[in-house]
mmCIF file of all heavy atoms in Angstrom:
data_model
loop_
_atom_site.group_PDB
_atom_site.id
_atom_site.type_symbol
_atom_site.label_atom_id
_atom_site.label_comp_id
_atom_site.label_asym_id
_atom_site.label_seq_id
_atom_site.Cartn_x
_atom_site.Cartn_y
_atom_site.Cartn_z
ATOM 1 N N PHE A 35 -37.109 3.730 210.123
ATOM 2 C CA PHE A 35 -35.752 4.011 210.555
ATOM 3 C C PHE A 35 -35.315 3.025 211.624
ATOM 4 O O PHE A 35 -36.123 2.494 212.369
ATOM 5 C CB PHE A 35 -35.639 5.444 211.099
ATOM 6 C CG PHE A 35 -35.880 6.475 210.041
ATOM 7 C CD1 PHE A 35 -37.141 6.989 209.837
ATOM 8 C CD2 PHE A 35 -34.845 6.903 209.239
ATOM 9 C CE1 PHE A 35 -37.371 7.939 208.854
ATOM 10 C CE2 PHE A 35 -35.063 7.843 208.249
ATOM 11 C CZ PHE A 35 -36.328 8.366 208.054
ATOM 12 N N GLY A 36 -34.043 2.781 211.690
ATOM 13 C CA GLY A 36 -33.452 1.920 212.693
ATOM 14 C C GLY A 36 -32.056 2.431 212.962
ATOM 15 O O GLY A 36 -31.629 3.431 212.389
ATOM 16 N N CYS A 37 -31.368 1.768 213.842
ATOM 17 C CA CYS A 37 -30.004 2.203 214.109
ATOM 18 C C CYS A 37 -29.101 0.989 214.290
ATOM 19 O O CYS A 37 -29.559 -0.101 214.587
ATOM 20 C CB CYS A 37 -29.934 3.093 215.345
ATOM 21 S SG CYS A 37 -30.406 2.300 216.872
ATOM 22 N N VAL A 38 -27.829 1.202 214.083
ATOM 23 C CA VAL A 38 -26.802 0.205 214.352
ATOM 24 C C VAL A 38 -25.948 0.800 215.460
ATOM 25 O O VAL A 38 -25.354 1.858 215.294
ATOM 26 C CB VAL A 38 -25.937 -0.083 213.095
ATOM 27 C CG1 VAL A 38 -24.807 -1.029 213.432
ATOM 28 C CG2 VAL A 38 -26.791 -0.646 211.981
ATOM 29 N N CYS A 39 -25.948 0.129 216.618
ATOM 30 C CA CYS A 39 -25.203 0.640 217.769
ATOM 31 C C CYS A 39 -23.698 0.547 217.527
ATOM 32 O O CYS A 39 -23.219 -0.373 216.868
ATOM 33 C CB CYS A 39 -25.571 -0.148 219.022
ATOM 34 S SG CYS A 39 -27.311 -0.003 219.504
ATOM 35 N N ASP A 40 -22.960 1.502 218.096
ATOM 36 C CA ASP A 40 -21.505 1.531 217.971
ATOM 37 C C ASP A 40 -20.865 0.364 218.708
ATOM 38 O O ASP A 40 -21.431 -0.194 219.641
ATOM 39 C CB ASP A 40 -20.943 2.833 218.543
ATOM 40 C CG ASP A 40 -21.262 4.039 217.682
ATOM 41 O OD1 ASP A 40 -21.479 3.861 216.474
ATOM 42 O OD2 ASP A 40 -21.290 5.152 218.229
ATOM 43 N N SER A 41 -19.662 0.019 218.283
ATOM 44 C CA SER A 41 -18.921 -1.050 218.924
ATOM 45 C C SER A 41 -17.439 -0.852 218.664
ATOM 46 O O SER A 41 -17.045 -0.464 217.568
ATOM 47 C CB SER A 41 -19.376 -2.406 218.374
ATOM 48 O OG SER A 41 -18.790 -3.449 219.092
ATOM 49 N N SER A 42 -16.629 -1.113 219.690
ATOM 50 C CA SER A 42 -15.180 -1.006 219.501
ATOM 51 C C SER A 42 -14.611 -2.301 218.930
ATOM 52 O O SER A 42 -13.436 -2.375 218.624
ATOM 53 C CB SER A 42 -14.490 -0.665 220.826
ATOM 54 O OG SER A 42 -14.676 -1.704 221.766
ATOM 55 N N TRP A 43 -15.446 -3.333 218.819
ATOM 56 C CA TRP A 43 -15.016 -4.593 218.209
ATOM 57 C C TRP A 43 -15.856 -4.857 216.971
ATOM 58 O O TRP A 43 -16.972 -4.380 216.850
ATOM 59 C CB TRP A 43 -15.102 -5.755 219.196
ATOM 60 C CG TRP A 43 -16.439 -5.969 219.840
ATOM 61 C CD1 TRP A 43 -17.576 -6.463 219.251
ATOM 62 C CD2 TRP A 43 -16.793 -5.715 221.196
ATOM 63 N NE1 TRP A 43 -18.603 -6.539 220.156
ATOM 64 C CE2 TRP A 43 -18.145 -6.080 221.365
ATOM 65 C CE3 TRP A 43 -16.091 -5.225 222.295
ATOM 66 C CZ2 TRP A 43 -18.810 -5.962 222.584
ATOM 67 C CZ3 TRP A 43 -16.768 -5.105 223.498
ATOM 68 C CH2 TRP A 43 -18.092 -5.473 223.630
ATOM 69 N N PRO A 44 -15.332 -5.641 216.026
ATOM 70 C CA PRO A 44 -16.090 -5.935 214.813
ATOM 71 C C PRO A 44 -17.298 -6.835 215.123
ATOM 72 O O PRO A 44 -17.190 -7.780 215.907
ATOM 73 C CB PRO A 44 -15.096 -6.644 213.903
ATOM 74 C CG PRO A 44 -13.981 -7.087 214.780
ATOM 75 C CD PRO A 44 -13.988 -6.219 215.998
ATOM 76 N N VAL A 45 -18.435 -6.514 214.524
ATOM 77 C CA VAL A 45 -19.687 -7.238 214.764
ATOM 78 C C VAL A 45 -20.101 -7.971 213.500
ATOM 79 O O VAL A 45 -20.085 -7.398 212.405
ATOM 80 C CB VAL A 45 -20.800 -6.261 215.200
ATOM 81 C CG1 VAL A 45 -22.125 -6.996 215.386
ATOM 82 C CG2 VAL A 45 -20.399 -5.527 216.465
ATOM 83 N N GLY A 46 -20.474 -9.226 213.639
ATOM 84 C CA GLY A 46 -20.930 -10.004 212.498
ATOM 85 C C GLY A 46 -20.827 -11.486 212.773
ATOM 86 O O GLY A 46 -20.669 -11.910 213.922
ATOM 87 N N LEU A 47 -20.884 -12.260 211.726
ATOM 88 C CA LEU A 47 -20.858 -13.719 211.849
ATOM 89 C C LEU A 47 -19.560 -14.340 211.338
ATOM 90 O O LEU A 47 -19.400 -15.545 211.382
ATOM 91 C CB LEU A 47 -22.047 -14.323 211.087
ATOM 92 C CG LEU A 47 -23.419 -13.969 211.644
ATOM 93 C CD1 LEU A 47 -24.517 -14.457 210.713
ATOM 94 C CD2 LEU A 47 -23.612 -14.541 213.028
ATOM 95 N N ALA A 48 -18.630 -13.528 210.884
ATOM 96 C CA ALA A 48 -17.368 -14.039 210.335
ATOM 97 C C ALA A 48 -16.350 -14.293 211.448
ATOM 98 O O ALA A 48 -16.550 -13.921 212.600
ATOM 99 C CB ALA A 48 -16.803 -13.039 209.322
#
Side-chain angles (χ1 to χ4, degrees):
F35 295 92
C37 63
V38 175
C39 297
D40 289 335
S41 187
S42 63
W43 55 72
V45 177
L47 295 172

